[in-house]
Structure formats: structure tokens, C-alpha cells
Amino acid sequence: MSFNMSIANNIATLQNSLPANVTLVAVSKTKPIEDIMEAYNAGQRVFGENKIQDMVEKHEQLPKDIQWHMIGHVQRNKVKYMAPFVSLIHGVDSFKLLKEINKQAEKNNRTINCLLQIHIAQESTKFGMNEEELLNLLSSPELTSLTNICIIGLMGMATFTNNQQQIENEFTYLKGIFEKAKQIHTTLSVLSMGMSGDYKLAIECGSTMVRIGSSIFGKRNY
Ligand SMILES: *Cc1c(COP(=O)(O)O)cnc(C)c1O
């Protein structure tokens, strides 16, 4: 039996099929340098990792024009390791974390782009804020003092289920929150939702950034 497992082909196929306004984040967590280089040589420049230490090591070894996205849960005491280079942090879910990112960005003379993670799934294991917490944070006067971060959008993960209707409801719910939030915070333009199993639905529901791992690199062995 032969089937296509070429990373380069998978990147090309995805890049050709995604709408022009949708950014592809190639999720390379657990994958070796060679696999990332194959995607890089196919033209991919945006990669996502979920562990800060792994991202730091890969950043050191790989071409410096790669844009590294942190897509996992962020511990405050580790922000300093990625602050010199991280391009976008997807999983920001508290004001405390934003403050730490701002502090570390300032030390590096940078502005770090952030997405606020919204909890839309049924599983309680998925991180994120609810709508009220989001709107409170965005309208907080203290936010204007954080001059080294820029909140450019929202991120969410749907429930892990085969129920397409439920996933669609969750994505549509997040899109609604995104539209509301844009009214109070005009720098919001990115809506990060959709993974290998649900990115097409996510795009139909308004996603502008998809985070795709296994459909590019194959299954992960943990
Ligand atoms: C692992 C991961 C992905 C990619 O998942 P796939 O199903 O392999 O595409 C996307 N988003 C987050 C937050 C992840 O942790």
C-alpha cells in the first residue's frame, strides 16, 4: 500500500486550499528538526509549539526567519525564555500573565503580540477565559499601561468530539464573542480556531488562523 506522507506536499496542498485571509500555523510539537526543515523548504514560515523549552531549542537550531507561535498553556515563570523571539502567544488567559509578558517584552525592547484564549469547549481541562472575564479585561483601565504587549485577537479550542453540530456551535459562539470584543478593542483582527480535524468548519465559522499539526507532520508519538 502506498500513500502520500510527504510533509512538503501536505504544506503545498494546505497553502493552496486555504483562503488568502487565513494564516496557517504548522504545529510542529514533538516533531524533529528535519521535519520542520522539510516544511520550511516548502515555504512554510509560521510554526507552533506547545512547550516553551522545546520552542527555545528549535528556535536556536532553525533559520531565524521562522515565526514561532506559542500555542500551549503558558507558565508565568517561563515567559522570559521565549520573550526575545516569540512572534505570537495564543494562550493568554489572565491579566497576571499579560503583565509578565509585558515585563519580559520590555526587557527585550519588543512588543509581543498576544491572543486571549477563550474557553468554548465542554471539557473543563481546556484553559481559557469566559466572555465576561474577557470583556472585563479588555475594558480594564490598567490595560493601557501595558505598552509592550499588543492583543491582536482571540483563540479557542472546540470540544474533542465527532459531533459536528456541537463543534460548529462552539466556533460560532467564539466568532460572536470576537465581534463583540472588536467593538471595545480595535486592535483585534485574528481569530485562531481550527485544528487538523475541524479547520474547514472553523474557517466557515470565521477563523483567520488555523493550527494544524497531524495533517502536515503525521501522527505524534508522545
Ligand atoms: C496540538 C495542537 C494543535 C494541532 O493539533 P492537530 O490535531 O494535530 O492538528 C492545535 N492547537 C493546539 C492548541 C494544540 O495543542
Side-chain angles (χ1 to χ4, degrees):
M1 193 175 84
S2 100
F3 55 96
N4 176 23
M5 292 222 352
S6 154
I7 292 168
N9 275 333
N10 295 341
I11 290 284
T13 307
L14 270 169
Q15 290 286 17
N16 288 331
S17 69
L18 295 177
N21 70 318
V22 175
T23 302
L24 171 62
V25 180
V27 175
S28 51
K29 63 189 185 195
T30 78
K31 296 296 174 183
I33 295 293
E34 305 83 72
D35 287 11
I36 301 175
M37 272 316 292
E38 188 175 342
Y40 179 89
N41 288 329
Q44 182 66 25
R45 290 294 179 272
V46 183
F47 292 88
E49 289 283 331
N50 71 336
K51 294 205 168 72
I52 293 175
Q53 195 51 48
D54 291 350
M55 191 173 74
V56 168
E57 283 170 20
K58 288 173 178 177
H59 167 256
E60 282 165 4
Q61 295 176 53
L62 283 156
K64 293 298 171 283
D65 62 340
I66 288 180
Q67 296 162 42
W68 290 102
H69 287 201
M70 174 42 56
I71 61 168
H73 187 64
V74 177
Q75 287 170 275
R76 279 204 305 283
N77 61 348
K78 291 190 179 156
V79 171
K80 56 180 177 285
Y81 302 117
M82 64 174 166
F85 68 91
V86 67
S87 160
L88 180 62
I89 303 176
H90 288 236
V92 180
D93 61 358
S94 73
F95 200 88
K96 261 182 160 175
L97 178 56
L98 264 185
K99 268 165 85 168
E100 176 63 16
I101 296 168
N102 185 70
K103 181 175 146 194
Q104 299 300 334
E106 197 177 353
K107 280 192 187 164
N108 287 278
N109 284 313
R110 309 182 61 211
T111 299
I112 296 181
N113 289 330
C114 298
L115 304 180
L116 297 174
Q117 183 169 357
I118 309 302
H119 183 97
I120 56 172
Q122 274 179 350
E123 298 108 332
S124 56
T125 50
K126 287 184 173 127
F127 294 98
M129 297 185 282
N130 64 31
E131 179 175 357
E132 191 189 349
E133 289 164 336
L134 169 74
L135 299 177
N136 282 341
L137 190 153
L138 290 178
S139 44
S140 147
E142 238 195 299
L143 191 59
T144 52
S145 67
L146 305 185
T147 51
N148 290 75
I149 53 114
C150 187
I151 301 172
I152 64 166
L154 304 182
M155 180 271 216
M157 283 172 93
T159 303
F160 187 72
T161 172
N162 287 323
N163 184 337
Q164 296 300 301
Q165 188 57 56
Q166 184 180 347
I167 297 173
E168 183 176 336
N169 291 347
E170 291 172 0
F171 285 154
T172 304
Y173 174 66
L174 180 54
K175 167 74 170 166
I177 295 179
F178 179 60
E179 291 305 323
K180 256 192 232 176
K182 275 207 270 191
Q183 307 293 317
I184 33 178
H185 202 78
T186 50
T187 57
L188 299 185
S189 63
V190 175
L191 184 53
S192 167
M193 60 182 193
M195 325 197 333
S196 291
D198 56 20
Y199 74 91
K200 287 179 186 152
L201 187 51
I203 291 169
E204 281 170 32
C205 296
S207 170
T208 71
M209 187 172 273
V210 290
R211 310 174 308 268
I212 300 185
S214 40
S215 290
I216 296 172
F217 296 104
K219 282 207 179 78
R220 286 176 293 274
N221 300 308
Y222 287 97

